[in-house]
Amino acid sequence: MILALESSCDETAVALFDPAHGLAGEWVQSQIALHERHGGVVPDLATREHLQAFAPLLARARTAADFSRVEKIAVTNGPGLAGCLAIGVAAAKALALALRVPLAGVSHLRAHAWSPFIPRHAEAPAEFAARLDELLPHLGLIVSGGHTLLFSLRAGGSIATLASTRDDAAGEALDKGAKLLGLGYPGGPLIEKLAAGGRVDAFDFPRGMGRRDELDFSFSGLKTSLRYLLEKMPAKEVEARRADVCASYQQAAVDALVRKTAAALERGPGAGPGWRSLGLSGGVANNRVLRAALEKTARGHGLPLLAALPQHTGDNAGMIAFAAWADTAGTDTRGLDLRIEPGLALA
Ligand code: KG4
Ligand code: ZN
């Protein structure tokens, strides 16, 4: 079994993964309540919380499984907040020493990239490698509070970044929009809830498309256009039309994500066979409007949509444990010399 630790941002998490069966247990301690009143993650507070949270989470993991079965420790070593990463890496080194097993550093972004494959492995663990080949090359979309990325995953596990955001991440655009509307943090789920009762065509927000042949995303114009709209609108009207504003704003973000993804699908993976699957992961992947739109896009291209399970969209250790096993090309093998890499890129 692999025992994995994650602490790159505001979730402390521990998971146990058995390659022959799947995830054997997952434990997450979220800090959302702590950071809510600050309107975003405060790095120093997050670091202290991780220090407090790991021991009880590990104690729970130990009641669920015999640690003598642990053959490897995996830990997120980047990207993320430096202090937060350091707590996880220090704890992982101590565990590797105590249990006398190897230590693997896992890229948080590569783990998000692999997370949509977790259910495929769970369905048929012994056949995972053979079936994986039938899903590659894979086009993946990672959408979170810090990242918006399109990438290709090919046979042999090589990952290439095809597009990223020039400014805000998709989740950041939703969080900032919610802040402008006085809704609270994190804004994505709050906007989705209000949007359900509104009209998507009530307001015309920019889709941040840039040039047609460019795949990169841009979300700062969306947020700015909401600010201008709210400045012009009397407070009473903002109150009365909140659902319409949320629905239109969310739709603009979803449209931008879907159109660039569709453009990448149409462009193809380059030489060799065409795309064989589309993936969706990261916190914003929880959004039902986005999921439905990408389902439709994938279907239109005759591809399966692999979406991360709800417990693996936000930050979690299940995906770290899984990546430590599935992503052999991406793990960091420096062992006890492992360093934190706060600015680590996807590829
Ligand atoms: O992956 P994640 O938990 O943390 C990062 O690594 O960033 O993603 C958090 C982001 C936040 O921006 C949050 O607003 C967004 O995911 N989010 C959503 C939904 N649930 C979370 N955005 C839209 N709709 C949702 N249902
Ligand atoms: Zn993340």
Side-chain angles (χ1 to χ4, degrees):
M1 279 208 292
I2 298 174
L3 172 62
L5 276 64
E6 152 69 37
S7 64
S8 61
C9 189
D10 60 345
E11 256 94 35
T12 322
V14 170
L16 282 161
F17 175 74
D18 179 347
H21 293 102
L23 284 158
E26 299 183 71
W27 300 267
V28 186
Q29 167 99 35
S30 171
Q31 303 179 4
I32 285 186
L34 171 73
H35 301 291
E36 207 169 17
R37 69 188 109 111
H38 303 283
V41 178
V42 183
D44 258 2
L45 294 181
T47 305
R48 292 174 198 211
E49 280 301 300
H50 289 306
L51 183 61
Q52 295 310 111
F54 266 124
L57 289 179
L58 286 164
R60 278 159 71 189
R62 201 167 44 184
T63 59
D66 181 0
F67 274 14
S68 69
R69 285 189 58 209
V70 172
E71 288 168 305
K72 188 190 274 185
I73 305 293
V75 64
T76 306
N77 70 318
L81 300 166
C84 296
L85 291 166
I87 299 287
V89 169
K93 286 184 180 183
L95 281 165
L97 274 169
L99 298 175
R100 296 196 177 88
V101 294
L103 172 67
V106 175
S107 148
H108 182 84
L109 285 174
R110 288 186 73 111
H112 270 305
W114 279 90
S115 64
F117 293 92
I118 298 175
R120 294 284 167 143
H121 170 272
E123 277 166 23
E127 287 149 49
F128 179 73
R131 290 201 186 167
L132 176 63
D133 273 346
E134 292 160 20
L135 297 169
L136 306 180
H138 166 89
L139 175 69
L141 174 65
I142 301 175
V143 269
S144 73
H147 301 275
T148 307
L149 292 161
L150 277 169
F151 66 90
S152 63
L153 171 63
R154 293 170 184 279
S158 73
I159 289 184
T161 301
L162 305 180
S164 54
T165 179
R166 268 182 254 141
D167 36 64
D168 294 345
E172 194 178 356
L174 295 170
D175 294 342
K176 287 178 176 172
K179 202 168 185 177
L180 289 170
L181 285 160
L183 298 181
Y185 174 88
L190 300 169
I191 288 187
E192 176 172 20
K193 209 164 162 201
L194 283 168
R199 278 178 37 221
V200 295
D201 57 356
F203 298 96
D204 190 19
F205 288 112
R207 264 61 178 166
M209 295 306 289
R211 290 206 337 257
R212 249 199 79 83
D213 58 334
E214 267 178 24
L215 290 181
D216 278 347
F217 302 94
S218 169
F219 290 101
S220 69
L222 175 60
K223 165 199 68 193
T224 307
S225 118
L226 174 61
R227 199 175 59 234
Y228 288 154
L229 176 76
L230 295 176
E231 277 168 12
K232 278 190 309 197
M233 242 194 223
K236 262 216 161 98
E237 199 187 333
V238 173
E239 186 69 40
R241 304 208 59 192
R242 209 171 246 180
D244 281 345
V245 174
C246 286
S248 303
Y249 190 80
Q250 173 179 266
Q251 194 62 46
V254 167
D255 283 351
L257 292 169
V258 170
R259 286 184 198 175
K260 293 290 186 189
T261 305
L265 282 176
E266 272 144 38
R267 189 180 288 188
W275 298 117
R276 288 204 178 113
S277 60
L278 176 65
L280 174 64
S281 60
V284 185
N286 282 322
N287 191 278
R288 271 161 298 200
V289 177
L290 175 62
R291 274 193 191 227
L294 281 179
E295 278 286 357
K296 202 170 151 204
T297 305
R299 219 179 305 126
H301 284 80
L303 301 173
L305 176 71
L306 313 184
L309 295 173
Q311 65 268 35
H312 299 137
T313 50
D315 292 343
N316 66 92
M319 69 177 186
I320 304 303
F322 182 70
W325 175 76
D327 183 21
T328 42
T331 55
D332 190 322
T333 55
R334 284 177 287 182
L336 294 176
D337 288 330
L338 186 70
R339 291 176 163 266
I340 58 163
E341 308 283 352
L344 190 63
L346 173 66

